[in-house]
Amino acid sequence: MESWGTTLLLLFFANLLVLGVSSTQDHDKHFLECLIDQFQSSNADPSNVVYNPNNASYASLLLAPNLRPESTSPLRPLLIVTPYYEHEIRAVIYCSKKLGTQMRVRSGGHDYEGLSYISGIPFVILDMRNFRSASINTKDKTAWVEVGMTLGQLYHTIARHSKTLAFTAGVCPTVGLGGHISGGGYGMMSRKHSIAADHIIDAKVMNADGHIVDRRSMGEDLFWAIRGGGGTSFGIVLAFKLQLVTIPETVTVFKVSRTSEQNATSLVHKWQYIADRIDQNILLRLFLRSITSPIHGNRTIHATFTTLYLGRAHDLLPIMQEKFPELGLVQEDCIEMSWIESALYFAGLRNESLDILLSRTPTGIFARNYLKGKSDYVRQPIPVTGLRGMWRFLHEEDEHMAELQFSPYGGALNDYSESETPFAHRAGFIFMIHYAVTWNSSGNSELERHMNWIRRFYSYMAPYVSKNPRAAYFNYRDLDLGTNNEGNTSYAQASVWGLKYFGNNFNRLVRVKTKVDPSNFFRNEQSIPPLSL
Ligand SMILES: Cc1cc2nc3c(=O)[nH]c(=O)nc-3n(C[C@H](O)[C@H](O)[C@H](O)COP(=O)(O)OP(=O)(O)OC[C@H]3O[C@@H](n4cnc5c(N)ncnc54)[C@H](O)[C@@H]3O)c2cc1C
Ligand SMILES: *[C@@H]1O[C@H](CO)[C@@H](O)[C@H](O)[C@H]1NC(C)=O
Ligand SMILES: *[C@@H]1O[C@H](CO)[C@@H](O)[C@H](O)[C@H]1NC(C)=O
Ligand SMILES: *[C@@H]1O[C@H](CO)[C@@H](O)[C@H](O)[C@H]1NC(C)=O
Ligand SMILES: *[C@@H]1O[C@H](CO)[C@@H](O)[C@H](O)[C@H]1NC(C)=O
Ligand SMILES: *[C@@H]1O[C@H](CO)[C@@H](O)[C@H](O)[C@H]1NC(C)=O
Ligand SMILES: *[C@@H]1O[C@H](CO)[C@@H](O)[C@H](O)[C@H]1NC(C)=O
């Protein structure tokens, strides 16, 4: 039955092509022909790596880990290519340039606005999932890792080699290294070890001419740009060399929740005065939700203090009792475990086998849903009146579907100047706010309701957060901050969002872009424009 259906479909498309009815179909065909030519000229076999819409696995490959809040149904890619070899990537670049077809690069596919797999104009996806080898050198504490690897796969691999080595990066195990590291990479060890991009010591990048460059041959400008400025604008990152960090064999974690009735508001208020200053071995992340109270039946705020301490519980307790006695942390709240077990714990996968870190399918708290996120940075503690207004927004949204995360800065994040890497959010920032709302139905009215909520919330926050620019985190990409006019972005237009993500580093990113990709081949709705445009 199915093959009969497919045959009919193929006949249908063949007719369209013969009659020349659809130029899109022509485009598909030309791209495929070009690609097959290119593959054959290097004796490569496209049958395992090139997926067209008629291939059975095309649809499941296209599925993204989080759904983009999009009201109109987006275009589907002409092809999805999942290369194993560098010359296969070169072929995609060649045909994409020759035919003027957009190319989107995807490593883990977690882009907040889906820019790695969605485009408004005909495009192909270069999906790096098969570039996922790693070689760990425990002696000099480094690792060469390919970009299609996920954070979970990286953590699992490091832990197999050593109990005292780790890498500092994000929490969600299915996030890909390609997007994550090139855009920054904040995680539970960031107060001790800063962000992922600060620990990149070499990289392999394919440029628009199909040449592969490393740190020495790419020069320090480009090497600087891909450590926080995003990979998208500059080339295809193939691999990173990581400087691993040393960790104790035993770490301590806890998650302690307090409701409004349990003084959550004053605890959150107090948290702002200690979270960025406390011992750098402690990262006290705060999650806020509005949940129906079993006692009063109305909604109440749950503040969950989620913590990693790089050490033993008996050393953590006295620090907490001295710096944050109001929280009332007790021995029973603390759980000692290995760092790799803490990776499971923070992903909400406690008690699962470690091998779940190898899966590319988001589960549990990261399961697939519509998601809209935004970010802000805080320089001055938010007063209690401001916090109460934030709680009112949380109470408005569907229960369990809206969440705030407060991620503390300070510590090692301040060891780097604002211009050392493109990631400019250093000394002076107490914490980052992440706003998120998720929902599960595709209707337009749902979309509008949630987008409207998060935008109103964001505008309410203006007096309490950083200004001129109002800073934002590039990895929490937000197209509300401004977008490029496809292929025609002026410096002035792009600087609206560029200064928010990168501060004054935006100007240097533009200079690097102008030098390495003056024709703007590598682009999307929020890529760095070259100066000539
Ligand atoms: C559930 C969830 C949890 C998250 N948790 C954290 C967290 O704890 N900390 C944190 O800092 N961030 C976090 N993020 C944000 C995450 O870091 C970014 O979304 C990141 O860009 C995802 O990388 P990716 O490779 O998975 O995404 P992709 O969608 O594949 O790529 C993101 C962007 O980078 C480009 N790109 C991807 N690969 C390459 C490459 N090889 N060369 C050049 N350009 C490339 C893409 O074209 C796209 O523009 C989270 C996101 C989600 C959805
Ligand atoms: C996709 O389908 C074509 C036939 O239409 C087949 O030749 C090719 O091998 C398939 N590609 C993959 C990656 O399975
Ligand atoms: C709430 O916290 C504040 C200070 O953070 C403290 O003064 C007050 O006593 C606490 N109230 C309760 C009920 O715990
Ligand atoms: C919930 O109800 C209790 C008791 O009526 C009240 O004290 C509390 O302020 C209410 N909370 C909210 C968030 O409205
Ligand atoms: C995990 O296992 C521990 C010890 O066996 C148990 O106490 C705990 O409830 C489990 N946690 C979850 C989330 O299942
Ligand atoms: C969808 O979200 C609603 C809350 O808005 C929830 O009650 C429901 O269980 C969710 N459905 C699925 C399939 O996740
Ligand atoms: C590009 O932008 C400039 C300035 O905004 C405008 O003058 C010009 O007409 C635009 N060109 C195209 C092709 O859109």
Side-chain angles (χ1 to χ4, degrees), residues 28 138 148 151 161 170 214 259 280 299 328 343 367 388 402 432 473 519:
D28 291 27
T138 51
L151 290 176
H161 283 80
D214 66 3
T259 63
Q280 345 189 15
R299 298 273 286 271
R388 290 197 202 286
M432 173 178 62
Y473 178 33
S519 70

Side-chain angles (χ1 to χ4, degrees), residues 288-515:
L288 296 144
R289 287 172 174 244
S290 159
I291 296 173
T292 299
S293 155
I295 305 164
H296 304 297
N298 59 4
R299 298 273 286 271
T300 179
I301 293 299
H302 279 234
T304 304
F305 297 84
T306 297
T307 300
L308 173 66
Y309 175 61
L310 294 165
R312 306 292 300 254
H314 61 77
D315 293 322
L316 169 64
L317 279 161
I319 306 176
M320 291 298 291
Q321 269 143 23
E322 189 200 333
K323 304 288 184 195
F324 201 10
E326 300 85 349
L327 185 61
L329 187 76
V330 292
Q331 173 81 47
E332 293 68 48
D333 296 323
C334 300
I335 314 165
E336 292 187 337
M337 55 178 66
S338 64
W339 167 75
I340 192 67
E341 286 163 349
S342 82
L344 283 181
Y345 177 82
F346 294 118
L349 300 170
R350 198 175 164 215
N351 297 352
E352 298 272 1
S353 135
L354 281 184
D355 287 350
I356 198 170
L357 292 173
L358 301 174
S359 161
R360 297 184 79 91
T361 311
T363 51
I365 50 175
F366 299 111
R368 213 164 148 269
N369 237 329
Y370 292 95
L371 165 80
K372 175 63 192 172
K374 285 180 169 296
S375 62
D376 256 324
Y377 280 86
V378 177
R379 290 181 182 277
Q380 305 287 332
I382 301 171
V384 164
T385 49
L387 294 176
R388 290 197 202 286
M390 296 170 76
W391 306 166
R392 282 194 290 277
F393 275 97
L394 287 176
H395 293 323
E396 261 185 49
E397 255 296 347
D398 296 347
E399 191 170 355
H400 298 296
M401 303 307 262
E403 183 186 76
L404 295 176
Q405 275 175 36
F406 291 2
S407 296
Y409 273 51
L413 281 147
N414 295 356
D415 293 349
Y416 301 79
S417 77
E418 282 178 23
S419 58
E420 205 156 332
T421 69
F423 184 90
H425 314 312
R426 304 289 183 173
F429 291 110
I430 305 174
F431 64 103
M432 173 178 62
I433 301 178
H434 176 249
Y435 312 82
V437 56
T438 55
W439 64 97
N440 56 22
S441 83
S442 61
N444 259 337
S445 64
E446 281 289 286
L447 171 82
E448 273 163 31
R449 181 162 69 88
H450 300 296
M451 295 296 261
N452 180 276
W453 174 82
I454 205 166
R455 286 170 182 156
R456 281 188 294 116
F457 197 167
Y458 189 73
S459 91
Y460 164 82
M461 291 301 291
Y464 304 114
V465 297
S466 62
K467 297 170 188 67
N468 307 313
R470 183 172 179 177
Y473 178 33
F474 181 66
N475 267 347
Y476 293 149
R477 189 197 300 288
D478 178 6
L479 292 181
D480 290 350
L481 302 180
T483 74
N484 293 344
N485 202 348
E486 189 57 57
N488 183 37
T489 312
S490 69
Y491 172 81
Q493 280 171 326
S495 67
V496 174
W497 51 262
L499 293 170
K500 292 177 191 291
Y501 288 141
F502 308 115
N504 292 325
N505 295 325
F506 176 67
N507 298 315
R508 184 171 173 196
L509 288 170
V510 170
R511 289 199 301 276
V512 178
K513 171 74 175 182
T514 308
K515 200 164 89 184

Side-chain angles (χ1 to χ4, degrees), residues 21 99 121-122 132 139 164 212 275 402 417 443 451 472 486 491 510:
V21 170
L99 297 167
I121 56 175
R132 56 159 183 265
K139 220 186 259 151
T164 54
I212 296 171
S417 77
M451 295 296 261
E486 189 57 57
Y491 172 81
V510 170

